[in-house]
Amino acid sequence: MKAKQPVIINQQPGWRRALHQMWADKVLYLLLLPTLIYFILFRLWPIWNLRMAFYNYRARGPWEWVGLKWFKMIFDSSAFGDILWNTLVISFMKYVLLFPFFVIFALMLNEIRSTRFRKYVQVVSYLPHLLSWVVIAGIWMALLNPSTGAVNQLMGFFGMEPVDFMTDKGAIRWVLFFSEGWRSLGWDSIVYFTAILAISPDLYEAAAIDGANRLQIIKSIILPALVVPMTTMFILNLGFFMSAGFDQVFNFTNPAVNSVIDILDTYIYRLGLENGQYSLSCAVALIKGLVGVVLVLLTHVASKKATGKGVW
């Protein structure tokens, strides 16, 4: 009686070999299962349902095809232009104006010689990122209160009149800017600080032998090492350019300033969840997503041609 020949996985077809490998790593795939379910339910399934933007959605019964009806309605709306402008301005402040401060903060952390003090600064700067925007909004509203807030009390010490920043249309965008910076400064600088720590000590020793001062070291050694992470992060940030941060704006808004900080995400929220106009809100979301994809692709191509580096 012939002995049964063992199955040689490497000689099997590609799909069968892949199944064998998956079965061998079944415990790892089981651990990955919750993440896969999350992405299927909250990423892939919503992408498929973006087709709602071309239909007249009905909770019961078949959807009616309407083509570009909702898109025409959006671009004919006078409110959409103002909301789009608010989104672009706030995104520019958060993703472009704030961007250099994260790099500067990483450079400042690297200049702290006391390891203990540096860790303290890192922990303190990271903590705000762990707070929800509900808590952060409460903190900033207390700080900016026109009668009891620390900021207005400090202004009063110098003889300045109190300002209600939360209802001031000229100040509310800067409130969003500084609160975002306070929350994200430490956390978003991690990538750059890690890149600085990865620089070979031999480069510093060679620079010291050549007599380079600290500014020359930063200019010639540290900043070139940050080009790749800076380029990657900037391109990825542009993918969120049409978002501008729903959680932040939703918690900071009020009727007095809504006209200058009403963004696409809050507009979608009102149309979909408050007014039940699901197809119309889906069309706005589709426009926002497509613009984000185009911005990432354009900046990636431009970065590839200019520096040879991109996201992929």
Side-chain angles (χ1 to χ4, degrees):
M1 184 174 180
K2 276 189 172 183
K4 189 175 181 181
Q5 295 295 325
V7 177
I8 301 176
I9 295 179
N10 291 334
Q11 295 180 355
Q12 294 178 352
W15 65 271
R16 191 182 294 272
R17 189 164 59 248
L19 288 177
H20 274 284
Q21 188 61 47
M22 290 176 67
W23 179 253
D25 298 331
K26 56 183 178 296
V27 175
L28 298 178
Y29 282 98
L30 186 62
L31 293 174
L32 190 62
L33 186 60
T35 302
L36 293 175
I37 293 174
Y38 168 81
F39 275 96
I40 291 171
L41 291 180
F42 297 104
R43 291 295 185 266
L44 296 180
W45 184 248
I47 290 174
W48 166 246
N49 279 323
L50 283 174
R51 59 197 171 92
M52 190 188 301
F54 303 96
Y55 289 85
N56 185 15
Y57 171 78
R58 294 191 180 96
R60 296 180 179 178
W63 298 356
E64 177 189 359
W65 171 265
V66 294
L68 300 177
K69 172 186 175 182
W70 305 118
F71 296 94
K72 293 177 182 177
M73 185 181 298
I74 291 168
F75 289 112
D76 289 341
S77 170
S78 58
F80 181 75
D82 295 334
I83 293 170
L84 179 61
W85 174 252
N86 292 338
T87 304
L88 294 176
V89 170
I90 294 172
S91 292
F92 178 80
M93 295 174 70
K94 292 172 63 173
Y95 298 125
V96 179
L97 294 185
L98 264 180
F99 184 76
F101 290 96
F102 303 140
V103 181
I104 293 171
F105 185 73
L107 293 173
M108 293 173 64
L109 279 177
N110 188 56
E111 296 304 308
I112 299 177
R113 291 292 169 259
S114 171
T115 304
R116 184 175 181 180
F117 181 64
R118 180 196 296 166
K119 290 181 178 179
Y120 173 79
V121 173
Q122 286 178 290
V123 171
V124 171
S125 62
Y126 297 164
L127 283 178
H129 185 80
L130 305 178
L131 302 177
S132 71
W133 275 112
V134 177
V135 176
I136 294 174
I139 293 173
W140 278 77
M141 287 176 187
L143 286 173
L144 300 176
N145 188 285
S147 56
T148 61
V151 174
N152 276 291
Q153 288 184 355
L154 184 62
M155 291 171 59
F157 179 78
F158 291 101
M160 302 170 65
E161 293 294 325
V163 178
D164 190 353
F165 294 97
M166 299 305 299
T167 59
D168 188 337
K169 291 184 178 180
I172 189 62
R173 286 175 178 169
W174 290 106
V175 173
L176 297 180
F177 174 83
F178 285 110
S179 60
E180 176 65 35
W182 178 72
R183 178 180 183 269
S184 303
L185 186 65
W187 187 264
D188 286 9
S189 65
I190 291 176
V191 174
Y192 311 115
F193 185 63
T194 304
I196 293 173
L197 294 179
I199 297 174
S200 173
D202 296 338
L203 294 177
Y204 294 116
E205 293 177 5
I209 293 172
D210 291 339
N213 58 37
R214 199 61 196 172
L215 289 177
Q216 290 172 329
I217 291 175
I218 292 174
K219 179 181 178 182
S220 303
I221 296 177
I222 298 178
L223 288 180
L226 295 179
V227 170
V228 173
M230 286 172 62
T231 302
T232 303
M233 294 303 297
F234 185 74
I235 293 174
L236 292 177
N237 283 342
L238 286 181
F240 300 99
F241 205 80
M242 298 297 288
S243 295
F246 170 81
D247 293 341
Q248 182 191 25
V249 174
F250 185 78
N251 282 284
F252 277 87
T253 193
N254 58 74
V257 296
N258 190 56
S259 61
V260 294
I261 63 171
D262 192 18
I263 59 174
L264 288 175
D265 282 348
T266 53
Y267 184 54
I268 292 170
Y269 171 82
R270 287 199 309 275
L271 289 177
L273 295 183
E274 291 186 356
N275 300 332
Q277 296 176 290
Y278 300 111
S279 294
L280 184 58
S281 63
C282 189
V284 178
L286 181 57
I287 294 171
K288 188 189 81 168
L290 289 176
V291 172
V293 171
V294 170
L295 285 174
V296 170
L297 290 176
L298 289 178
T299 50
H300 168 74
V301 172
S303 175
K304 274 284 191 180
K305 290 184 178 180
T307 66
K309 304 291 184 180
V311 178
W312 59 86

